[in-house]
Amino acid sequence: MSIQKKIGFLGAYSIPIFILLSFYLEGTYWAFMPVVYTYFFVPIIDEIIGKDAQNVQKQEFEGLIKDKYFDFLVYSHVWIHFFILVYVAIQISSHHFSNIQILGFVLSQGVYASSIINVSHELGHRNHPLAIIHARVALMSVCYHHFIIEHNRGHHVHVATPNDPATSKKGQTVFEFWIQTLIGSFKSAWNIEKRLLQKKDIKTWSLKNEVIQGILGSCAMAILMFSLISLYRNELSWIILIHFFGQSMVAILSLECVNYIEHYGIVRNEISEGKYEKVNPLHSWNANHFYSNLLLFHLQRHSDHHAYASRPYQVLRHFDESPQLPFGYPVMIIMSLFPPLWFKIMNPKLEQWKSKAIDSEQIKNIVRQFA
């Protein structure tokens, strides 16, 4: 890995820096600066810098995995997120901001919080207890704790099949997908946890149920923030609750836009009734745009992640054979919100990719090459 790319991962700190800076710049619309940066300037930077198809060399693989620099980056964002979350809450409850400014601050916090779900996603795939704790607590702060249950034990098992609520179908709008995945993913997480507790002879409605733990944890965080800040200001600061649940909603919907993008129309072959071919690097969309990939800790190299879920972000690889998105995630998220535009661009690309008809022997060679 080049030193430029290694340093480039520091770019993920740009969003919280812009959030803090937005409070100190005069003018109503500076509150939206992190949003504009993410969805306007990041795509421009992507186009200027270009794409990155370089994979790590085998001789540097172990060294990169053991390099604590990459661990520090993801762990630090959890702590920064909590600082920003509380800081924004204190600021908007202590100053007379306009409703437009408050909306900007909540949207900006939500954009950063959506990247924290991605950080939690990275940490949630690790076996270390410290990583799991950080992932779970961070997800509670955006009211989406059940994600770690359903994603690891549900989505990765059923991806690209009709059984996966987080796989979008061809012709399905992102708004229809939101309903499917928000309801379906929660039900899936609940049923997964229910089965695990039944095996241990524990009641489903128990504090040992991790779905319930997540709900209670999110409520406890919201109440604690509301109570402490209200006590400090000596008045009830209801804006705190609006801020907490507002940024959670933005983060969740952004995350589900990403799920929509990553798996749109991709299906695995059913080799027998109810049984599907093994997940391989062809079963997710990829975007290899350099800058947005650094900001998202290589999330856009999604095919490798699904083929090898435990592989740390710094060594995720690009596959030319995987279906490729025309733009990075920021542009694709905006595009998904306009279904006619999305279908016009993505449906032909989906059919074009399917028409390549990569056979089973080619797939084996791809997997063998990168295993």
Side-chain angles (χ1 to χ4, degrees), residues 241-275:
L241 297 181
I242 295 174
H243 163 58
F244 183 86
F245 293 111
Q247 62 94 32
S248 296
M249 182 179 70
V250 173
I252 291 168
L253 294 182
S254 298
L255 177 278
E256 294 304 348
C257 277
V258 169
N259 266 334
Y260 176 81
I261 292 163
E262 290 170 339
H263 303 291
Y264 179 74
I266 302 291
V267 292
R268 284 190 276 159
N269 293 322
E270 190 173 18
I271 56 179
S272 62
E273 187 175 356
K275 187 176 181 181

PDB file of all heavy atoms in Angstrom, residues 241-275:
ATOM      1  N   LEU A 241     -33.846  15.625  22.157  1.00  0.00           N
ATOM      2  CA  LEU A 241     -34.464  14.387  21.673  1.00  0.00           C
ATOM      3  C   LEU A 241     -34.686  14.451  20.163  1.00  0.00           C
ATOM      4  O   LEU A 241     -34.511  13.448  19.461  1.00  0.00           O
ATOM      5  CB  LEU A 241     -35.791  14.147  22.399  1.00  0.00           C
ATOM      6  CG  LEU A 241     -35.679  13.927  23.919  1.00  0.00           C
ATOM      7  CD1 LEU A 241     -37.062  13.672  24.513  1.00  0.00           C
ATOM      8  CD2 LEU A 241     -34.748  12.759  24.235  1.00  0.00           C
ATOM      9  N   ILE A 242     -35.079  15.633  19.668  1.00  0.00           N
ATOM     10  CA  ILE A 242     -35.238  15.794  18.218  1.00  0.00           C
ATOM     11  C   ILE A 242     -33.898  15.553  17.516  1.00  0.00           C
ATOM     12  O   ILE A 242     -33.827  14.879  16.489  1.00  0.00           O
ATOM     13  CB  ILE A 242     -35.776  17.205  17.898  1.00  0.00           C
ATOM     14  CG1 ILE A 242     -37.183  17.371  18.474  1.00  0.00           C
ATOM     15  CG2 ILE A 242     -35.762  17.459  16.391  1.00  0.00           C
ATOM     16  CD1 ILE A 242     -37.747  18.767  18.340  1.00  0.00           C
ATOM     17  N   HIS A 243     -32.844  16.111  18.102  1.00  0.00           N
ATOM     18  CA  HIS A 243     -31.501  15.929  17.551  1.00  0.00           C
ATOM     19  C   HIS A 243     -31.085  14.466  17.567  1.00  0.00           C
ATOM     20  O   HIS A 243     -30.611  13.932  16.549  1.00  0.00           O
ATOM     21  CB  HIS A 243     -30.514  16.772  18.365  1.00  0.00           C
ATOM     22  CG  HIS A 243     -29.084  16.403  18.184  1.00  0.00           C
ATOM     23  ND1 HIS A 243     -28.447  16.415  16.966  1.00  0.00           N
ATOM     24  CD2 HIS A 243     -28.151  15.978  19.088  1.00  0.00           C
ATOM     25  CE1 HIS A 243     -27.194  16.031  17.109  1.00  0.00           C
ATOM     26  NE2 HIS A 243     -26.987  15.758  18.383  1.00  0.00           N
ATOM     27  N   PHE A 244     -31.266  13.782  18.682  1.00  0.00           N
ATOM     28  CA  PHE A 244     -30.815  12.397  18.823  1.00  0.00           C
ATOM     29  C   PHE A 244     -31.535  11.481  17.840  1.00  0.00           C
ATOM     30  O   PHE A 244     -30.899  10.707  17.100  1.00  0.00           O
ATOM     31  CB  PHE A 244     -31.035  11.909  20.251  1.00  0.00           C
ATOM     32  CG  PHE A 244     -30.522  10.519  20.503  1.00  0.00           C
ATOM     33  CD1 PHE A 244     -29.196  10.311  20.850  1.00  0.00           C
ATOM     34  CD2 PHE A 244     -31.356   9.411  20.387  1.00  0.00           C
ATOM     35  CE1 PHE A 244     -28.708   9.032  21.072  1.00  0.00           C
ATOM     36  CE2 PHE A 244     -30.876   8.126  20.604  1.00  0.00           C
ATOM     37  CZ  PHE A 244     -29.552   7.946  20.951  1.00  0.00           C
ATOM     38  N   PHE A 245     -32.859  11.564  17.817  1.00  0.00           N
ATOM     39  CA  PHE A 245     -33.608  10.662  16.945  1.00  0.00           C
ATOM     40  C   PHE A 245     -33.578  11.124  15.487  1.00  0.00           C
ATOM     41  O   PHE A 245     -33.670  10.293  14.570  1.00  0.00           O
ATOM     42  CB  PHE A 245     -35.046  10.518  17.449  1.00  0.00           C
ATOM     43  CG  PHE A 245     -35.131   9.799  18.766  1.00  0.00           C
ATOM     44  CD1 PHE A 245     -35.507  10.469  19.926  1.00  0.00           C
ATOM     45  CD2 PHE A 245     -34.804   8.452  18.861  1.00  0.00           C
ATOM     46  CE1 PHE A 245     -35.566   9.809  21.148  1.00  0.00           C
ATOM     47  CE2 PHE A 245     -34.861   7.773  20.085  1.00  0.00           C
ATOM     48  CZ  PHE A 245     -35.235   8.461  21.225  1.00  0.00           C
ATOM     49  N   GLY A 246     -33.401  12.428  15.258  1.00  0.00           N
ATOM     50  CA  GLY A 246     -33.274  12.935  13.895  1.00  0.00           C
ATOM     51  C   GLY A 246     -32.006  12.458  13.229  1.00  0.00           C
ATOM     52  O   GLY A 246     -32.024  11.977  12.082  1.00  0.00           O
ATOM     53  N   GLN A 247     -30.875  12.593  13.933  1.00  0.00           N
ATOM     54  CA  GLN A 247     -29.618  12.123  13.350  1.00  0.00           C
ATOM     55  C   GLN A 247     -29.616  10.609  13.178  1.00  0.00           C
ATOM     56  O   GLN A 247     -29.020  10.090  12.228  1.00  0.00           O
ATOM     57  CB  GLN A 247     -28.426  12.578  14.205  1.00  0.00           C
ATOM     58  CG  GLN A 247     -28.390  12.060  15.632  1.00  0.00           C
ATOM     59  CD  GLN A 247     -27.565  10.800  15.820  1.00  0.00           C
ATOM     60  OE1 GLN A 247     -26.587  10.594  15.123  1.00  0.00           O
ATOM     61  NE2 GLN A 247     -27.966   9.966  16.777  1.00  0.00           N
ATOM     62  N   SER A 248     -30.334   9.911  14.044  1.00  0.00           N
ATOM     63  CA  SER A 248     -30.455   8.454  13.901  1.00  0.00           C
ATOM     64  C   SER A 248     -31.207   8.105  12.619  1.00  0.00           C
ATOM     65  O   SER A 248     -30.804   7.208  11.865  1.00  0.00           O
ATOM     66  CB  SER A 248     -31.183   7.857  15.104  1.00  0.00           C
ATOM     67  OG  SER A 248     -30.444   8.031  16.293  1.00  0.00           O
ATOM     68  N   MET A 249     -32.304   8.817  12.372  1.00  0.00           N
ATOM     69  CA  MET A 249     -33.102   8.542  11.175  1.00  0.00           C
ATOM     70  C   MET A 249     -32.291   8.801   9.909  1.00  0.00           C
ATOM     71  O   MET A 249     -32.322   7.995   8.969  1.00  0.00           O
ATOM     72  CB  MET A 249     -34.363   9.400  11.176  1.00  0.00           C
ATOM     73  CG  MET A 249     -35.275   9.137   9.982  1.00  0.00           C
ATOM     74  SD  MET A 249     -36.778  10.134  10.000  1.00  0.00           S
ATOM     75  CE  MET A 249     -36.080  11.754   9.653  1.00  0.00           C
ATOM     76  N   VAL A 250     -31.552   9.915   9.870  1.00  0.00           N
ATOM     77  CA  VAL A 250     -30.727  10.222   8.703  1.00  0.00           C
ATOM     78  C   VAL A 250     -29.674   9.135   8.501  1.00  0.00           C
ATOM     79  O   VAL A 250     -29.444   8.670   7.374  1.00  0.00           O
ATOM     80  CB  VAL A 250     -30.049  11.598   8.863  1.00  0.00           C
ATOM     81  CG1 VAL A 250     -29.059  11.847   7.718  1.00  0.00           C
ATOM     82  CG2 VAL A 250     -31.086  12.707   8.914  1.00  0.00           C
ATOM     83  N   ALA A 251     -29.037   8.712   9.588  1.00  0.00           N
ATOM     84  CA  ALA A 251     -28.000   7.680   9.507  1.00  0.00           C
ATOM     85  C   ALA A 251     -28.566   6.357   8.998  1.00  0.00           C
ATOM     86  O   ALA A 251     -27.973   5.701   8.129  1.00  0.00           O
ATOM     87  CB  ALA A 251     -27.350   7.489  10.874  1.00  0.00           C
ATOM     88  N   ILE A 252     -29.718   5.975   9.520  1.00  0.00           N
ATOM     89  CA  ILE A 252     -30.325   4.696   9.149  1.00  0.00           C
ATOM     90  C   ILE A 252     -30.737   4.691   7.678  1.00  0.00           C
ATOM     91  O   ILE A 252     -30.444   3.745   6.933  1.00  0.00           O
ATOM     92  CB  ILE A 252     -31.544   4.390  10.053  1.00  0.00           C
ATOM     93  CG1 ILE A 252     -31.076   4.094  11.479  1.00  0.00           C
ATOM     94  CG2 ILE A 252     -32.352   3.217   9.504  1.00  0.00           C
ATOM     95  CD1 ILE A 252     -32.197   4.073  12.496  1.00  0.00           C
ATOM     96  N   LEU A 253     -31.420   5.755   7.249  1.00  0.00           N
ATOM     97  CA  LEU A 253     -31.868   5.804   5.855  1.00  0.00           C
ATOM     98  C   LEU A 253     -30.690   5.888   4.891  1.00  0.00           C
ATOM     99  O   LEU A 253     -30.729   5.319   3.797  1.00  0.00           O
ATOM    100  CB  LEU A 253     -32.818   6.984   5.654  1.00  0.00           C
ATOM    101  CG  LEU A 253     -34.153   6.902   6.401  1.00  0.00           C
ATOM    102  CD1 LEU A 253     -35.024   8.111   6.093  1.00  0.00           C
ATOM    103  CD2 LEU A 253     -34.899   5.609   6.072  1.00  0.00           C
ATOM    104  N   SER A 254     -29.630   6.583   5.296  1.00  0.00           N
ATOM    105  CA  SER A 254     -28.419   6.637   4.466  1.00  0.00           C
ATOM    106  C   SER A 254     -27.800   5.251   4.334  1.00  0.00           C
ATOM    107  O   SER A 254     -27.384   4.838   3.242  1.00  0.00           O
ATOM    108  CB  SER A 254     -27.411   7.610   5.072  1.00  0.00           C
ATOM    109  OG  SER A 254     -27.914   8.922   5.123  1.00  0.00           O
ATOM    110  N   LEU A 255     -27.725   4.549   5.470  1.00  0.00           N
ATOM    111  CA  LEU A 255     -27.181   3.191   5.464  1.00  0.00           C
ATOM    112  C   LEU A 255     -27.992   2.279   4.553  1.00  0.00           C
ATOM    113  O   LEU A 255     -27.435   1.490   3.776  1.00  0.00           O
ATOM    114  CB  LEU A 255     -27.140   2.654   6.897  1.00  0.00           C
ATOM    115  CG  LEU A 255     -26.672   1.223   7.210  1.00  0.00           C
ATOM    116  CD1 LEU A 255     -27.763   0.192   7.015  1.00  0.00           C
ATOM    117  CD2 LEU A 255     -25.453   0.828   6.384  1.00  0.00           C
ATOM    118  N   GLU A 256     -29.303   2.398   4.618  1.00  0.00           N
ATOM    119  CA  GLU A 256     -30.138   1.529   3.797  1.00  0.00           C
ATOM    120  C   GLU A 256     -30.102   1.934   2.326  1.00  0.00           C
ATOM    121  O   GLU A 256     -30.325   1.094   1.456  1.00  0.00           O
ATOM    122  CB  GLU A 256     -31.570   1.497   4.335  1.00  0.00           C
ATOM    123  CG  GLU A 256     -31.689   0.849   5.718  1.00  0.00           C
ATOM    124  CD  GLU A 256     -31.129  -0.578   5.782  1.00  0.00           C
ATOM    125  OE1 GLU A 256     -30.855  -1.174   4.714  1.00  0.00           O
ATOM    126  OE2 GLU A 256     -30.955  -1.090   6.896  1.00  0.00           O
ATOM    127  N   CYS A 257     -29.815   3.212   2.036  1.00  0.00           N
ATOM    128  CA  CYS A 257     -29.541   3.589   0.645  1.00  0.00           C
ATOM    129  C   CYS A 257     -28.313   2.837   0.141  1.00  0.00           C
ATOM    130  O   CYS A 257     -28.270   2.366  -1.002  1.00  0.00           O
ATOM    131  CB  CYS A 257     -29.287   5.091   0.545  1.00  0.00           C
ATOM    132  SG  CYS A 257     -30.771   6.120   0.449  1.00  0.00           S
ATOM    133  N   VAL A 258     -27.305   2.725   0.998  1.00  0.00           N
ATOM    134  CA  VAL A 258     -26.087   2.013   0.634  1.00  0.00           C
ATOM    135  C   VAL A 258     -26.387   0.535   0.387  1.00  0.00           C
ATOM    136  O   VAL A 258     -25.903  -0.056  -0.591  1.00  0.00           O
ATOM    137  CB  VAL A 258     -25.013   2.187   1.728  1.00  0.00           C
ATOM    138  CG1 VAL A 258     -23.838   1.239   1.499  1.00  0.00           C
ATOM    139  CG2 VAL A 258     -24.525   3.635   1.763  1.00  0.00           C
ATOM    140  N   ASN A 259     -27.186  -0.079   1.255  1.00  0.00           N
ATOM    141  CA  ASN A 259     -27.571  -1.472   1.033  1.00  0.00           C
ATOM    142  C   ASN A 259     -28.288  -1.626  -0.308  1.00  0.00           C
ATOM    143  O   ASN A 259     -28.064  -2.594  -1.043  1.00  0.00           O
ATOM    144  CB  ASN A 259     -28.486  -1.964   2.167  1.00  0.00           C
ATOM    145  CG  ASN A 259     -27.713  -2.657   3.273  1.00  0.00           C
ATOM    146  OD1 ASN A 259     -26.631  -3.196   3.050  1.00  0.00           O
ATOM    147  ND2 ASN A 259     -28.251  -2.637   4.472  1.00  0.00           N
ATOM    148  N   TYR A 260     -29.168  -0.690  -0.604  1.00  0.00           N
ATOM    149  CA  TYR A 260     -29.905  -0.702  -1.868  1.00  0.00           C
ATOM    150  C   TYR A 260     -28.942  -0.681  -3.054  1.00  0.00           C
ATOM    151  O   TYR A 260     -29.078  -1.449  -4.013  1.00  0.00           O
ATOM    152  CB  TYR A 260     -30.826   0.518  -1.907  1.00  0.00           C
ATOM    153  CG  TYR A 260     -31.607   0.710  -3.187  1.00  0.00           C
ATOM    154  CD1 TYR A 260     -32.785  -0.001  -3.423  1.00  0.00           C
ATOM    155  CD2 TYR A 260     -31.189   1.627  -4.156  1.00  0.00           C
ATOM    156  CE1 TYR A 260     -33.515   0.186  -4.584  1.00  0.00           C
ATOM    157  CE2 TYR A 260     -31.915   1.820  -5.316  1.00  0.00           C
ATOM    158  CZ  TYR A 260     -33.076   1.101  -5.535  1.00  0.00           C
ATOM    159  OH  TYR A 260     -33.801   1.292  -6.696  1.00  0.00           O
ATOM    160  N   ILE A 261     -27.948   0.192  -2.963  1.00  0.00           N
ATOM    161  CA  ILE A 261     -26.963   0.359  -4.031  1.00  0.00           C
ATOM    162  C   ILE A 261     -26.087  -0.880  -4.179  1.00  0.00           C
ATOM    163  O   ILE A 261     -25.817  -1.347  -5.291  1.00  0.00           O
ATOM    164  CB  ILE A 261     -26.084   1.595  -3.734  1.00  0.00           C
ATOM    165  CG1 ILE A 261     -26.912   2.867  -3.850  1.00  0.00           C
ATOM    166  CG2 ILE A 261     -24.864   1.641  -4.643  1.00  0.00           C
ATOM    167  CD1 ILE A 261     -26.266   4.053  -3.183  1.00  0.00           C
ATOM    168  N   GLU A 262     -25.636  -1.417  -3.062  1.00  0.00           N
ATOM    169  CA  GLU A 262     -24.656  -2.509  -3.075  1.00  0.00           C
ATOM    170  C   GLU A 262     -25.192  -3.800  -3.684  1.00  0.00           C
ATOM    171  O   GLU A 262     -24.425  -4.602  -4.215  1.00  0.00           O
ATOM    172  CB  GLU A 262     -24.177  -2.793  -1.648  1.00  0.00           C
ATOM    173  CG  GLU A 262     -23.299  -1.702  -1.075  1.00  0.00           C
ATOM    174  CD  GLU A 262     -23.051  -1.883   0.408  1.00  0.00           C
ATOM    175  OE1 GLU A 262     -23.844  -2.586   1.080  1.00  0.00           O
ATOM    176  OE2 GLU A 262     -22.076  -1.317   0.908  1.00  0.00           O
ATOM    177  N   HIS A 263     -26.514  -4.008  -3.585  1.00  0.00           N
ATOM    178  CA  HIS A 263     -27.047  -5.313  -3.972  1.00  0.00           C
ATOM    179  C   HIS A 263     -28.171  -5.243  -4.998  1.00  0.00           C
ATOM    180  O   HIS A 263     -28.858  -6.241  -5.229  1.00  0.00           O
ATOM    181  CB  HIS A 263     -27.529  -6.050  -2.717  1.00  0.00           C
ATOM    182  CG  HIS A 263     -26.470  -6.229  -1.683  1.00  0.00           C
ATOM    183  ND1 HIS A 263     -25.395  -7.060  -1.874  1.00  0.00           N
ATOM    184  CD2 HIS A 263     -26.286  -5.646  -0.468  1.00  0.00           C
ATOM    185  CE1 HIS A 263     -24.597  -6.999  -0.809  1.00  0.00           C
ATOM    186  NE2 HIS A 263     -25.108  -6.146   0.043  1.00  0.00           N
ATOM    187  N   TYR A 264     -28.353  -4.078  -5.615  1.00  0.00           N
ATOM    188  CA  TYR A 264     -29.477  -3.891  -6.522  1.00  0.00           C
ATOM    189  C   TYR A 264     -29.495  -4.932  -7.652  1.00  0.00           C
ATOM    190  O   TYR A 264     -28.581  -5.015  -8.477  1.00  0.00           O
ATOM    191  CB  TYR A 264     -29.446  -2.490  -7.133  1.00  0.00           C
ATOM    192  CG  TYR A 264     -30.573  -2.245  -8.111  1.00  0.00           C
ATOM    193  CD1 TYR A 264     -31.866  -2.049  -7.662  1.00  0.00           C
ATOM    194  CD2 TYR A 264     -30.333  -2.245  -9.486  1.00  0.00           C
ATOM    195  CE1 TYR A 264     -32.907  -1.845  -8.555  1.00  0.00           C
ATOM    196  CE2 TYR A 264     -31.369  -2.038 -10.386  1.00  0.00           C
ATOM    197  CZ  TYR A 264     -32.653  -1.842  -9.918  1.00  0.00           C
ATOM    198  OH  TYR A 264     -33.684  -1.655 -10.800  1.00  0.00           O
ATOM    199  N   GLY A 265     -30.553  -5.741  -7.644  1.00  0.00           N
ATOM    200  CA  GLY A 265     -30.809  -6.669  -8.741  1.00  0.00           C
ATOM    201  C   GLY A 265     -29.917  -7.889  -8.812  1.00  0.00           C
ATOM    202  O   GLY A 265     -30.104  -8.754  -9.676  1.00  0.00           O
ATOM    203  N   ILE A 266     -28.935  -8.003  -7.927  1.00  0.00           N
ATOM    204  CA  ILE A 266     -28.012  -9.146  -7.965  1.00  0.00           C
ATOM    205  C   ILE A 266     -28.663 -10.349  -7.281  1.00  0.00           C
ATOM    206  O   ILE A 266     -29.143 -10.250  -6.153  1.00  0.00           O
ATOM    207  CB  ILE A 266     -26.684  -8.820  -7.249  1.00  0.00           C
ATOM    208  CG1 ILE A 266     -26.016  -7.593  -7.877  1.00  0.00           C
ATOM    209  CG2 ILE A 266     -25.750 -10.032  -7.273  1.00  0.00           C
ATOM    210  CD1 ILE A 266     -25.480  -7.810  -9.255  1.00  0.00           C
ATOM    211  N   VAL A 267     -28.677 -11.487  -7.961  1.00  0.00           N
ATOM    212  CA  VAL A 267     -29.253 -12.708  -7.389  1.00  0.00           C
ATOM    213  C   VAL A 267     -28.281 -13.869  -7.576  1.00  0.00           C
ATOM    214  O   VAL A 267     -27.590 -13.967  -8.588  1.00  0.00           O
ATOM    215  CB  VAL A 267     -30.606 -13.055  -8.035  1.00  0.00           C
ATOM    216  CG1 VAL A 267     -31.657 -12.025  -7.659  1.00  0.00           C
ATOM    217  CG2 VAL A 267     -30.499 -13.158  -9.547  1.00  0.00           C
ATOM    218  N   ARG A 268     -28.236 -14.721  -6.587  1.00  0.00           N
ATOM    219  CA  ARG A 268     -27.451 -15.958  -6.697  1.00  0.00           C
ATOM    220  C   ARG A 268     -28.286 -17.046  -7.359  1.00  0.00           C
ATOM    221  O   ARG A 268     -29.509 -17.089  -7.200  1.00  0.00           O
ATOM    222  CB  ARG A 268     -27.019 -16.431  -5.303  1.00  0.00           C
ATOM    223  CG  ARG A 268     -25.876 -15.648  -4.716  1.00  0.00           C
ATOM    224  CD  ARG A 268     -25.357 -16.324  -3.456  1.00  0.00           C
ATOM    225  NE  ARG A 268     -26.122 -15.968  -2.273  1.00  0.00           N
ATOM    226  CZ  ARG A 268     -26.155 -16.690  -1.155  1.00  0.00           C
ATOM    227  NH1 ARG A 268     -25.516 -17.856  -1.107  1.00  0.00           N
ATOM    228  NH2 ARG A 268     -26.851 -16.287  -0.112  1.00  0.00           N
ATOM    229  N   ASN A 269     -27.628 -17.937  -8.055  1.00  0.00           N
ATOM    230  CA  ASN A 269     -28.327 -19.044  -8.693  1.00  0.00           C
ATOM    231  C   ASN A 269     -28.840 -20.023  -7.655  1.00  0.00           C
ATOM    232  O   ASN A 269     -28.123 -20.372  -6.709  1.00  0.00           O
ATOM    233  CB  ASN A 269     -27.407 -19.772  -9.675  1.00  0.00           C
ATOM    234  CG  ASN A 269     -27.050 -18.906 -10.871  1.00  0.00           C
ATOM    235  OD1 ASN A 269     -27.881 -18.162 -11.370  1.00  0.00           O
ATOM    236  ND2 ASN A 269     -25.807 -19.005 -11.321  1.00  0.00           N
ATOM    237  N   GLU A 270     -30.074 -20.470  -7.838  1.00  0.00           N
ATOM    238  CA  GLU A 270     -30.667 -21.476  -6.948  1.00  0.00           C
ATOM    239  C   GLU A 270     -30.294 -22.856  -7.506  1.00  0.00           C
ATOM    240  O   GLU A 270     -30.760 -23.268  -8.564  1.00  0.00           O
ATOM    241  CB  GLU A 270     -32.183 -21.305  -6.881  1.00  0.00           C
ATOM    242  CG  GLU A 270     -32.842 -22.154  -5.810  1.00  0.00           C
ATOM    243  CD  GLU A 270     -34.317 -21.841  -5.649  1.00  0.00           C
ATOM    244  OE1 GLU A 270     -34.898 -21.230  -6.572  1.00  0.00           O
ATOM    245  OE2 GLU A 270     -34.893 -22.209  -4.610  1.00  0.00           O
ATOM    246  N   ILE A 271     -29.427 -23.563  -6.779  1.00  0.00           N
ATOM    247  CA  ILE A 271     -28.921 -24.838  -7.274  1.00  0.00           C
ATOM    248  C   ILE A 271     -29.853 -25.997  -6.943  1.00  0.00           C
ATOM    249  O   ILE A 271     -29.805 -27.054  -7.576  1.00  0.00           O
ATOM    250  CB  ILE A 271     -27.500 -25.118  -6.724  1.00  0.00           C
ATOM    251  CG1 ILE A 271     -27.486 -25.070  -5.202  1.00  0.00           C
ATOM    252  CG2 ILE A 271     -26.507 -24.111  -7.303  1.00  0.00           C
ATOM    253  CD1 ILE A 271     -26.123 -25.358  -4.605  1.00  0.00           C
ATOM    254  N   SER A 272     -30.685 -25.834  -5.918  1.00  0.00           N
ATOM    255  CA  SER A 272     -31.760 -26.762  -5.590  1.00  0.00           C
ATOM    256  C   SER A 272     -32.790 -25.976  -4.802  1.00  0.00           C
ATOM    257  O   SER A 272     -32.539 -24.830  -4.439  1.00  0.00           O
ATOM    258  CB  SER A 272     -31.249 -27.970  -4.791  1.00  0.00           C
ATOM    259  OG  SER A 272     -30.702 -27.547  -3.552  1.00  0.00           O
ATOM    260  N   GLU A 273     -33.929 -26.564  -4.541  1.00  0.00           N
ATOM    261  CA  GLU A 273     -35.008 -25.817  -3.897  1.00  0.00           C
ATOM    262  C   GLU A 273     -34.558 -25.231  -2.550  1.00  0.00           C
ATOM    263  O   GLU A 273     -34.224 -25.967  -1.628  1.00  0.00           O
ATOM    264  CB  GLU A 273     -36.239 -26.699  -3.697  1.00  0.00           C
ATOM    265  CG  GLU A 273     -37.443 -25.919  -3.188  1.00  0.00           C
ATOM    266  CD  GLU A 273     -38.685 -26.776  -3.107  1.00  0.00           C
ATOM    267  OE1 GLU A 273     -38.638 -27.952  -3.511  1.00  0.00           O
ATOM    268  OE2 GLU A 273     -39.710 -26.261  -2.629  1.00  0.00           O
ATOM    269  N   GLY A 274     -34.546 -23.906  -2.471  1.00  0.00           N
ATOM    270  CA  GLY A 274     -34.182 -23.236  -1.233  1.00  0.00           C
ATOM    271  C   GLY A 274     -32.697 -23.192  -0.945  1.00  0.00           C
ATOM    272  O   GLY A 274     -32.268 -22.665   0.081  1.00  0.00           O
ATOM    273  N   LYS A 275     -31.868 -23.717  -1.857  1.00  0.00           N
ATOM    274  CA  LYS A 275     -30.429 -23.730  -1.659  1.00  0.00           C
ATOM    275  C   LYS A 275     -29.751 -22.967  -2.799  1.00  0.00           C
ATOM    276  O   LYS A 275     -30.029 -23.229  -3.974  1.00  0.00           O
ATOM    277  CB  LYS A 275     -29.890 -25.160  -1.597  1.00  0.00           C
ATOM    278  CG  LYS A 275     -28.417 -25.241  -1.222  1.00  0.00           C
ATOM    279  CD  LYS A 275     -27.958 -26.690  -1.067  1.00  0.00           C
ATOM    280  CE  LYS A 275     -26.488 -26.763  -0.677  1.00  0.00           C
ATOM    281  NZ  LYS A 275     -26.013 -28.164  -0.533  1.00  0.00           N
TER     282      LYS A 275
END
